[in-house]
Amino acid sequence: MRAAGRTVRARLRDRIAASDPGLLRLTAGLRTVGAIALTLLVLSLLRADVHILVAGAMAAMVATFAIREKQPAAQAVTLALGLPVALASVSLGAVLNTRLFVGDVFFVVLIFCAVYGRRFGDRGTALGLIGFQVYFLSLFVGATASTLPALCGALAVAFCSSALMRFAVVPATPTGVLLRLRLAFRARLAQLVAAQVELLDAPADEMDKALEAVREGTARLHETAMMIQGRLEEGTPDESAARLVQRRIADAEIAAERLGLLLLTARTAERADTLTLHLPGAPAPSLAGPELPDEAGATLRRDLQALHALVLRAGSGDTGTGLAHVRNRLLGYRDEENLPPASAAVQDVFRGIGESARAVLGLRIALDGPQDESDDSPATARSREELDAEDAAIDGGEEAAQEEQTGLRRPTTRAAVQVAVGSSLAIVGGELLSTQRWYWAVLTCWIVFLNTASTGEILVKGYRRLLGTVFGVVAGIVLAGLVGGHTWTAFALVLVLIFAMFYTAPLSYTLMSFFVTAMLGLLYTLLHTYSLDVLVLRIQETALGAVCGVVAAALVLPVQTDRRTNELLGTVLERLAEVTEAAVGQLSGGPADELLDKARDLDQALADLRAATQPLIHPVTPLRTRRHTARYVVALLETCAYHARTLAATAELLPTHPSIAADPRLRGAAGRTVRNIGVIAARVADEHAGAQVETGPSIASLLGSDAGTPRYGRITDRVLRHLERLDEAVVGLARPLGVPVAAPKG
C-alpha cells in the first residue's frame, strides 16, 4: 500500500511539475495571495475601514509581483527601496489628485520615468512599476491629505507582509527553482516519450492527432530547456557545474527530438522531414502500412515503454536491479551487434532509443551525482566512461558583449516617449468620458506597452485586454450581485481571483484580464461604488486606453511589426550561421569553440522572433497568406536550429569521446549553407539585394565519395545527414522570404 501511495504521489508530482515548470506560477499565486491575506488580517485587527483595506490589498499585490530579481538579497534591496518610492507616490497622489492640470502633468512624467527605468534592469523596472501602480492606487481609493497617514501605514504593512511571504513562508531560492525546473524537464521528457509510444501505435485515421501530441511535447520540452538555461548561472554553485547541466539538458532534448523523427520515418513510406515536427497543423506523411511487423513492433513498443519508465524513475532515487537491467538493455542498442533484425529505418529507431538512454543516464549523473555501478553491463560501463571524460573536459567561457543602442534608438527611451504620449491622449479622452475614473484608460495604455516592442504586439495585447475586460465585466456583475454587502466574502473571492490571475498570466493574457476585471468589480462593491454604469464605463475606458496606446505606437517613433521581425530574423540567421560554421569547423579538426553557448544564443534569438511574430499569426489577422508564411518561416527556422544544435552537441564530444574523431573531409562542407544563410540575411535587411541562393549536389557528394564506396561511419554519416537537412531547410527559406534561387549548375 505504501508503494502504491508513493507511486500516486510521484505521478501527481510529475503532472504538476510538467504543467507548471519550476512551480513558478503556483509560487507567484500563493505568495501574492498570502501577502494580501496577511495584510488584510493585520489591518482588520487595527480596525481599518474598507478603503484602507482595499488600498492595503492592492499595495501587497504590487509589492509582490513587481519584484523580478532571482537572488533573494537583490529582492530584499529592491523591496526595501520600493517602500519609500511607494510612500512618496501615494503622498503625491493624495496632494495632486484634486489639482487637475498639475496632477495630470505629474502623472505623465511619472509614467515616462517608470518606463524609462526599465533600462536599469529588473530593479529599475520594479521601482517604476511600484511608483506607477501606487499612484494609480491613490486615485482608485480617492486618497486625500486626511487619509494619508492611514494609507502610509497600510503600505508599510503591505510591504512587510510581502517580505514575510517572500522570504519566510513561500521562499524561492535560485537553487530551489532550478531543482524544480529539472524535475519539470524530466516530467516533460517522460510525457514526450509517452506521446512517441502513441505515435508508434496510432492507426492511420489518428496519425495526425498522435503527431500533434509529439509536436506539442517537443515544443514543451524545448521551452523547459530554455527556462533551465536562463537560470543556470544563479542556481548552480560554479560555472563548470552550470555547463555540465547545460550539456546534459541539450543532449537529452536533442536525443528525444531525434527519436521522434526516427519513429515517424519508420512508420511512413518516405523519409520524414524534420519540419513536420515543428510546423503546427502539418499533416503526417503517408503510412508505409497499418503497423510495424509484429516482432519488431512488439520489441520496439516494449523498449519505448522501458525508456519511458527509465525517464520517470531517473529522479526517484530508485536504483534497483530492475532499473539497471532496463538501462543495460537500452544502452546495448548503441552497439550494432545488439540491434534486432529489422529494416534499416526500424534499426535507426533502436539506435535512437540507445542514444536517448545514454542521454537519460548523463542527465541523472549530472543532476543526482554518482550512481551505483555494480550491475553495469559493458555497454553501460562504456557509456559512463564517455560521460565522465566529457564532464572532465568542461571549462568556462566568456560571454560576448552586446552592442547597446543609444538615444531614441534605445528601446526603453522610445517606449517611454510612446507611453507618455499615449497616456496624455488617454488622460484627455478618459476625462471626457469620466472626470472621476479617467485613470482606467491610462492604466490600459500603460499595460499594453509592457513587454511589447512593436505596433502589432501592442495591437494584439490591447485586443486581448479588451476581450478579457468585456467578459470580466459580466462576471463582475454576477459576483457583485452574489456577495452583496458581505465584506469578507467579497475579500475571499478577491483572493481567489488574484490567485487565478497570477496562475494564468503566463498562459493567457485574455484570461488574466478577465480575472482582473472580475476582481475590480468586487472591489467596487466593497467601496460602495458598484453599478452597471461603472462597469460599462470600465469597458469604454479600456477600449479608449488600448486605442491611445496603438495610436501612440503607430505615430510616435513607430516600430512596425515587419521591421521588428526582420531585425530579429536577421539575428536568428546570424546566430545560425555562427553555430553551423563553428560546429563543422570543430568537427573537421578546427579549434574548439563555445558551441553550446552559441547554440543557446540561437535558441534565445529564435524565441524572441517567435514572440514577435504573434501579431502576424494571431487568428484575428486578416492577411491569411501572411499568417501562413510567418508560421512556415518560424517552423523552418526551428528545424534549422534543431540540426544546428545537434551539430554543436556532436562537435562538443570530439575532445573526449573515444569513438568520435574529427574528419578533415568535412572542412568546407557547410560553406554553401553558410553562404546561403548570408544571402537570405542580406535580402531580409535590404529587399534590393541581388544575390541568389545556391543549390547543387548533396553535401555528401561534396566530400568526393563514389557511389560504390563504403559509408563514412555512423558519426560522420549522421553529421552529413544533419548538414544535408540543414541545407535543404535553408534553401526552403528562400521561397517564402522572396529570395531568388539559382538553377543548379550542371
Side-chain angles (χ1 to χ4, degrees):
M1 291 293 292
R2 262 188 218 147
R6 281 197 300 271
T7 301
V8 171
R9 287 196 298 272
R11 289 178 179 174
L12 180 60
R13 180 199 65 186
D14 288 341
R15 287 186 179 181
I16 294 174
S19 64
D20 182 13
L23 301 184
L24 298 177
R25 291 184 285 126
L26 180 64
T27 299
L30 291 177
R31 187 181 284 165
T32 305
V33 168
I36 294 172
L38 183 58
T39 301
L40 292 174
L41 175 62
V42 173
L43 292 178
S44 64
L45 292 176
L46 295 175
R47 300 187 181 279
D49 68 23
V50 70
H51 287 74
I52 302 303
L53 290 174
V54 170
M58 294 179 68
M61 181 173 66
V62 173
T64 305
F65 78 74
I67 312 299
R68 295 293 182 183
E69 285 113 332
K70 298 181 178 67
Q71 295 290 352
Q75 295 173 4
V77 171
T78 303
L79 197 58
L81 293 174
L83 179 56
V85 170
L87 294 175
S89 186
V90 75
S91 300
L92 288 167
V95 172
L96 296 177
N97 64 8
T98 57
R99 295 179 170 87
L100 184 62
F101 179 75
V102 176
D104 291 348
V105 171
F106 174 77
F107 201 9
V108 172
V109 172
L110 175 63
I111 290 170
F112 176 89
C113 294
V115 176
Y116 186 78
R118 288 157 56 184
R119 68 166 293 199
F120 300 108
D122 289 337
R123 181 164 296 160
T125 302
L127 296 179
L129 189 58
I130 289 171
F132 171 83
Q133 293 285 2
V134 172
Y135 192 88
F136 171 83
L137 179 157
S138 70
L139 299 174
F140 183 77
V141 300
T144 62
S146 61
T147 61
L148 188 56
L151 285 172
C152 289
L155 290 180
V157 170
F159 273 75
C160 290
S161 299
S162 177
L164 183 62
M165 294 300 299
R166 178 178 294 275
F167 301 116
V169 181
V170 192
T173 63
T175 303
V177 171
L178 185 58
L179 175 61
R180 292 193 291 270
L181 283 172
R182 293 168 180 175
L183 293 175
F185 184 85
R186 281 168 166 158
R188 287 191 166 182
L189 179 57
Q191 288 181 344
L192 176 55
V193 175
Q196 290 169 347
V197 175
E198 296 296 328
L199 180 67
L200 177 68
D201 294 330
D205 57 344
E206 296 183 10
M207 190 67 173
D208 286 337
K209 180 180 178 181
L211 176 59
E212 188 60 36
V214 172
R215 189 181 290 136
E216 181 181 351
T218 302
R220 284 162 61 87
L221 186 67
H222 181 65
E223 175 194 26
T224 312
M226 290 290 293
M227 294 173 71
I228 291 174
Q229 288 180 356
R231 292 177 178 268
L232 278 174
E233 293 182 5
E234 294 86 1
T236 46
D238 54 61
E239 188 173 357
S240 293
R243 290 182 62 77
L244 172 60
V245 174
Q246 179 187 10
R247 174 179 287 184
R248 295 299 166 231
I249 291 291
D251 288 346
E253 181 190 358
I254 290 169
E257 189 165 357
R258 182 169 179 268
L259 179 58
L261 184 63
L262 293 173
L263 267 171
L264 191 61
T265 300
R267 286 228 53 195
T268 56
E270 55 193 25
R271 187 192 77 175
D273 195 322
T274 319
L275 178 64
T276 308
L277 288 181
H278 299 132
L279 182 60
S286 58
L287 295 181
E291 59 183 16
L292 295 174
D294 290 340
E295 185 175 353
T299 304
L300 197 53
R301 187 176 302 106
R302 179 202 66 182
D303 289 333
L304 279 172
Q305 291 170 344
L307 178 63
H308 180 259
L310 192 66
V311 174
L312 283 177
R313 294 163 68 182
S316 65
D318 187 346
T319 56
T321 304
L323 182 66
H325 175 73
V326 168
R327 182 184 62 229
N328 291 340
R329 186 178 76 246
L330 299 186
L331 286 171
Y333 292 140
R334 300 184 67 218
D335 296 330
E336 296 293 323
E337 61 269 18
N338 293 328
L339 294 175
S343 66
V346 173
Q347 285 192 334
D348 277 344
V349 179
F350 282 108
R351 292 189 187 99
I353 291 175
E355 293 300 326
S356 297
R358 180 191 186 273
V360 173
L361 176 63
L363 191 63
R364 182 171 189 176
I365 294 173
L367 301 185
D368 302 332
Q371 309 293 315
D372 181 13
E373 303 177 15
S374 59
D375 294 318
D376 281 359
S377 67
T380 302
R382 187 170 62 254
S383 294
R384 287 191 193 277
E385 291 171 2
E386 294 170 0
L387 293 168
D388 290 341
E390 294 167 20
D391 297 348
I394 292 177
D395 57 14
E398 295 183 359
E399 294 289 335
Q402 297 291 325
E403 180 183 356
E404 184 178 357
Q405 295 179 327
T406 58
L408 291 177
R409 293 177 57 205
R410 182 183 287 122
T412 50
T413 305
R414 182 176 59 244
V417 173
Q418 288 177 324
V419 74
V421 172
S423 298
S424 300
L425 296 174
I427 289 173
V428 173
E431 289 184 344
L432 291 176
L433 284 175
S434 171
T435 57
Q436 293 182 320
R437 295 183 176 85
W438 52 270
Y439 44 77
W440 288 118
V442 182
L443 179 68
T444 300
C445 182
W446 155 278
I447 288 177
V448 297
F449 272 96
L450 292 179
N451 300 318
T452 53
S454 70
T455 305
E457 291 178 67
I458 291 169
L459 178 61
V460 170
K461 193 171 184 180
Y463 157 78
R464 288 172 173 167
R465 184 165 183 84
L466 181 59
L467 186 64
T469 299
V470 170
F471 287 106
V473 163
V474 176
I477 293 172
V478 174
L479 291 175
L482 291 175
V483 299
H486 302 287
T487 300
W488 292 109
T489 302
F491 270 125
L493 283 175
V494 165
L495 293 178
V496 172
L497 292 171
I498 288 175
F499 178 83
M501 175 181 71
F502 278 90
Y503 197 78
T504 59
L507 303 178
S508 170
Y509 187 73
T510 301
L511 270 179
M512 189 200 76
S513 300
F514 167 80
F515 290 121
V516 169
T517 304
M519 175 198 69
L520 290 172
L522 290 174
L523 292 181
Y524 279 135
T525 303
L526 292 170
L527 295 174
H528 307 295
T529 56
Y530 164 77
S531 69
L532 181 60
D533 291 339
V534 167
L535 293 178
V536 171
L537 178 64
R538 167 98 169 104
I539 296 177
Q540 294 172 335
E541 296 279 3
T542 298
L544 175 64
V547 169
C548 290
V550 172
V551 169
L555 300 181
V556 181
L557 306 175
V559 178
Q560 296 180 347
T561 303
D562 285 347
R563 175 183 155 194
R564 168 75 173 162
T565 53
N566 283 347
E567 289 175 354
L568 293 174
L569 176 57
T571 302
V572 171
L573 293 170
E574 179 183 346
R575 300 284 186 271
L576 178 62
E578 289 175 356
V579 175
T580 304
E581 194 167 26
V584 174
Q586 191 164 321
L587 285 164
S588 60
D593 206 340
E594 300 296 337
L595 292 176
L596 287 182
D597 288 342
K598 291 181 182 294
R600 181 178 64 178
D601 292 340
L602 169 61
D603 286 336
Q604 186 57 58
L606 185 53
D608 293 340
L609 176 64
R610 193 183 302 110
T613 57
Q614 289 304 306
L616 301 178
I617 64 176
H618 195 274
V620 300
T621 302
L623 305 176
R624 295 178 60 86
T625 302
R626 189 184 186 196
R627 184 170 66 206
H628 294 321
T629 299
R631 186 181 288 118
Y632 182 69
V633 167
V634 171
L636 273 174
L637 288 170
E638 288 178 346
T639 294
C640 292
Y642 161 68
H643 293 299
R645 278 198 306 272
T646 306
L647 291 171
T650 305
E652 283 272 326
L653 300 176
L654 273 179
T656 56
H657 203 291
S659 63
I660 299 179
D663 190 337
R665 293 175 298 175
L666 289 172
R667 193 180 307 277
R672 183 178 69 199
T673 304
V674 172
R675 284 194 300 273
N676 285 342
I677 295 172
V679 168
I680 295 173
R683 184 60 178 254
V684 169
D686 179 9
E687 61 181 9
H688 300 295
Q692 294 180 318
V693 166
E694 299 177 10
T695 59
S698 68
I699 298 294
S701 68
L702 297 178
L703 301 188
S705 63
D706 298 323
T709 59
R711 304 284 285 176
Y712 298 97
R714 277 177 50 199
I715 296 301
T716 301
D717 190 55
R718 182 185 300 179
V719 168
L720 290 175
R721 286 201 300 269
H722 284 293
L723 279 173
E724 287 179 354
R725 294 195 178 190
L726 176 60
D727 187 64
E728 293 168 1
V730 170
V731 173
L733 279 170
R735 182 181 59 81
L737 294 177
V739 183
V741 179
K745 297 179 181 179

